[in-house]
Amino acid sequence: MNQDLPEFTAEQKRRIMFIEELARVAYTVSRAYMIKNGDPQLPEWQDMDYLDSEYVREGVEIYLSNPDVGPGIWHQEWYKHHQKLGWKHGKAYDAVKKTSPVFMEFDRLPAAKRNSDIIFHAIVRSLTTTVEQKLND
């Protein structure tokens, strides 16, 4: 085994698996909402590239690490990160031109996108609370 790679404890492995499942479930429901509201371009979880799925996992981590934040914080973090990389608002998502139709503050997002983030946040909060209660029983 490679000596440079960290070994994970059983607890760390459980947390990684928990985050993965939370991300998959929250993304899948949020994606279904977006498709219903006219955004069919979002890939299924298993078809996402690693960086996109990592972004979703980071969203889960943000909410787990900051239990008092609201649903807009994940988008705001994405917005600030992309702003530093030179992204701009555009009619279509284009990684080469660095444009996105949702490159804006959370409060200015179209209702469907804002609601999908609210749904994502609610799922993470709800499932986290449910799992924590079961672990403490």
Side-chain angles (χ1 to χ4, degrees), residues 62-63 66-73 121 125:
I62 287 170
Y63 292 134
N66 303 286
D68 297 329
V69 300
I73 193 70
H121 176 263
R125 286 282 181 253

PDB file of all heavy atoms in Angstrom, residues 62-63 66-73 121 125:
ATOM      1  N   ILE A  62     -20.790  21.776   3.602  1.00  0.00           N
ATOM      2  CA  ILE A  62     -21.059  23.137   4.084  1.00  0.00           C
ATOM      3  C   ILE A  62     -22.213  23.105   5.074  1.00  0.00           C
ATOM      4  O   ILE A  62     -22.143  23.689   6.152  1.00  0.00           O
ATOM      5  CB  ILE A  62     -21.366  24.095   2.905  1.00  0.00           C
ATOM      6  CG1 ILE A  62     -20.085  24.409   2.137  1.00  0.00           C
ATOM      7  CG2 ILE A  62     -22.031  25.381   3.401  1.00  0.00           C
ATOM      8  CD1 ILE A  62     -20.313  25.145   0.830  1.00  0.00           C
ATOM      9  N   TYR A  63     -23.291  22.405   4.709  1.00  0.00           N
ATOM     10  CA  TYR A  63     -24.452  22.369   5.587  1.00  0.00           C
ATOM     11  C   TYR A  63     -24.205  21.546   6.852  1.00  0.00           C
ATOM     12  O   TYR A  63     -24.718  21.872   7.917  1.00  0.00           O
ATOM     13  CB  TYR A  63     -25.681  21.865   4.837  1.00  0.00           C
ATOM     14  CG  TYR A  63     -26.143  22.837   3.780  1.00  0.00           C
ATOM     15  CD1 TYR A  63     -26.468  22.414   2.507  1.00  0.00           C
ATOM     16  CD2 TYR A  63     -26.230  24.197   4.057  1.00  0.00           C
ATOM     17  CE1 TYR A  63     -26.887  23.311   1.538  1.00  0.00           C
ATOM     18  CE2 TYR A  63     -26.640  25.108   3.102  1.00  0.00           C
ATOM     19  CZ  TYR A  63     -26.973  24.657   1.835  1.00  0.00           C
ATOM     20  OH  TYR A  63     -27.378  25.549   0.880  1.00  0.00           O
ATOM     21  N   ASN A  66     -21.950  23.740   9.148  1.00  0.00           N
ATOM     22  CA  ASN A  66     -22.545  25.015   9.552  1.00  0.00           C
ATOM     23  C   ASN A  66     -24.045  24.836   9.741  1.00  0.00           C
ATOM     24  O   ASN A  66     -24.838  25.264   8.894  1.00  0.00           O
ATOM     25  CB  ASN A  66     -22.279  26.088   8.484  1.00  0.00           C
ATOM     26  CG  ASN A  66     -20.817  26.262   8.206  1.00  0.00           C
ATOM     27  OD1 ASN A  66     -20.102  26.840   9.005  1.00  0.00           O
ATOM     28  ND2 ASN A  66     -20.350  25.738   7.084  1.00  0.00           N
ATOM     29  N   PRO A  67     -24.464  24.215  10.830  1.00  0.00           N
ATOM     30  CA  PRO A  67     -25.874  23.858  10.978  1.00  0.00           C
ATOM     31  C   PRO A  67     -26.843  25.038  11.026  1.00  0.00           C
ATOM     32  O   PRO A  67     -28.025  24.855  10.792  1.00  0.00           O
ATOM     33  CB  PRO A  67     -25.913  23.077  12.295  1.00  0.00           C
ATOM     34  CG  PRO A  67     -24.622  23.301  12.963  1.00  0.00           C
ATOM     35  CD  PRO A  67     -23.647  23.764  11.950  1.00  0.00           C
ATOM     36  N   ASP A  68     -26.345  26.234  11.277  1.00  0.00           N
ATOM     37  CA  ASP A  68     -27.241  27.378  11.394  1.00  0.00           C
ATOM     38  C   ASP A  68     -27.401  28.189  10.107  1.00  0.00           C
ATOM     39  O   ASP A  68     -28.139  29.167  10.091  1.00  0.00           O
ATOM     40  CB  ASP A  68     -26.772  28.307  12.516  1.00  0.00           C
ATOM     41  CG  ASP A  68     -26.813  27.623  13.870  1.00  0.00           C
ATOM     42  OD1 ASP A  68     -27.687  26.753  14.073  1.00  0.00           O
ATOM     43  OD2 ASP A  68     -25.963  27.937  14.724  1.00  0.00           O
ATOM     44  N   VAL A  69     -26.707  27.795   9.033  1.00  0.00           N
ATOM     45  CA  VAL A  69     -26.804  28.580   7.799  1.00  0.00           C
ATOM     46  C   VAL A  69     -28.041  28.180   7.001  1.00  0.00           C
ATOM     47  O   VAL A  69     -28.527  27.056   7.099  1.00  0.00           O
ATOM     48  CB  VAL A  69     -25.539  28.457   6.917  1.00  0.00           C
ATOM     49  CG1 VAL A  69     -24.318  28.943   7.664  1.00  0.00           C
ATOM     50  CG2 VAL A  69     -25.353  27.057   6.398  1.00  0.00           C
ATOM     51  N   GLY A  70     -28.508  29.121   6.211  1.00  0.00           N
ATOM     52  CA  GLY A  70     -29.679  28.877   5.382  1.00  0.00           C
ATOM     53  C   GLY A  70     -29.323  28.267   4.044  1.00  0.00           C
ATOM     54  O   GLY A  70     -28.145  28.034   3.735  1.00  0.00           O
ATOM     55  N   PRO A  71     -30.324  28.037   3.212  1.00  0.00           N
ATOM     56  CA  PRO A  71     -30.122  27.327   1.953  1.00  0.00           C
ATOM     57  C   PRO A  71     -29.312  28.082   0.901  1.00  0.00           C
ATOM     58  O   PRO A  71     -28.811  27.476  -0.036  1.00  0.00           O
ATOM     59  CB  PRO A  71     -31.540  27.068   1.455  1.00  0.00           C
ATOM     60  CG  PRO A  71     -32.378  28.062   2.144  1.00  0.00           C
ATOM     61  CD  PRO A  71     -31.724  28.344   3.455  1.00  0.00           C
ATOM     62  N   GLY A  72     -29.158  29.372   1.037  1.00  0.00           N
ATOM     63  CA  GLY A  72     -28.442  30.137   0.026  1.00  0.00           C
ATOM     64  C   GLY A  72     -26.932  30.094   0.119  1.00  0.00           C
ATOM     65  O   GLY A  72     -26.237  30.465  -0.826  1.00  0.00           O
ATOM     66  N   ILE A  73     -26.399  29.638   1.222  1.00  0.00           N
ATOM     67  CA  ILE A  73     -24.943  29.711   1.432  1.00  0.00           C
ATOM     68  C   ILE A  73     -24.164  28.878   0.422  1.00  0.00           C
ATOM     69  O   ILE A  73     -23.098  29.278  -0.035  1.00  0.00           O
ATOM     70  CB  ILE A  73     -24.562  29.349   2.891  1.00  0.00           C
ATOM     71  CG1 ILE A  73     -23.108  29.741   3.187  1.00  0.00           C
ATOM     72  CG2 ILE A  73     -24.755  27.877   3.152  1.00  0.00           C
ATOM     73  CD1 ILE A  73     -22.868  31.206   3.271  1.00  0.00           C
ATOM     74  N   HIS A 121     -31.101  21.797   0.523  1.00  0.00           N
ATOM     75  CA  HIS A 121     -30.805  22.144   1.914  1.00  0.00           C
ATOM     76  C   HIS A 121     -31.742  21.396   2.861  1.00  0.00           C
ATOM     77  O   HIS A 121     -31.304  20.819   3.861  1.00  0.00           O
ATOM     78  CB  HIS A 121     -30.944  23.660   2.084  1.00  0.00           C
ATOM     79  CG  HIS A 121     -30.759  24.144   3.475  1.00  0.00           C
ATOM     80  ND1 HIS A 121     -31.823  24.400   4.314  1.00  0.00           N
ATOM     81  CD2 HIS A 121     -29.652  24.437   4.186  1.00  0.00           C
ATOM     82  CE1 HIS A 121     -31.372  24.829   5.469  1.00  0.00           C
ATOM     83  NE2 HIS A 121     -30.056  24.869   5.424  1.00  0.00           N
ATOM     84  N   ARG A 125     -30.655  18.654   5.716  1.00  0.00           N
ATOM     85  CA  ARG A 125     -31.006  18.904   7.122  1.00  0.00           C
ATOM     86  C   ARG A 125     -31.869  17.770   7.683  1.00  0.00           C
ATOM     87  O   ARG A 125     -31.622  17.260   8.768  1.00  0.00           O
ATOM     88  CB  ARG A 125     -31.774  20.226   7.263  1.00  0.00           C
ATOM     89  CG  ARG A 125     -30.915  21.418   7.120  1.00  0.00           C
ATOM     90  CD  ARG A 125     -30.158  21.630   8.437  1.00  0.00           C
ATOM     91  NE  ARG A 125     -29.340  22.793   8.312  1.00  0.00           N
ATOM     92  CZ  ARG A 125     -28.026  22.769   8.195  1.00  0.00           C
ATOM     93  NH1 ARG A 125     -27.375  21.651   8.173  1.00  0.00           N
ATOM     94  NH2 ARG A 125     -27.334  23.873   8.105  1.00  0.00           N
TER      95      ARG A 125
END
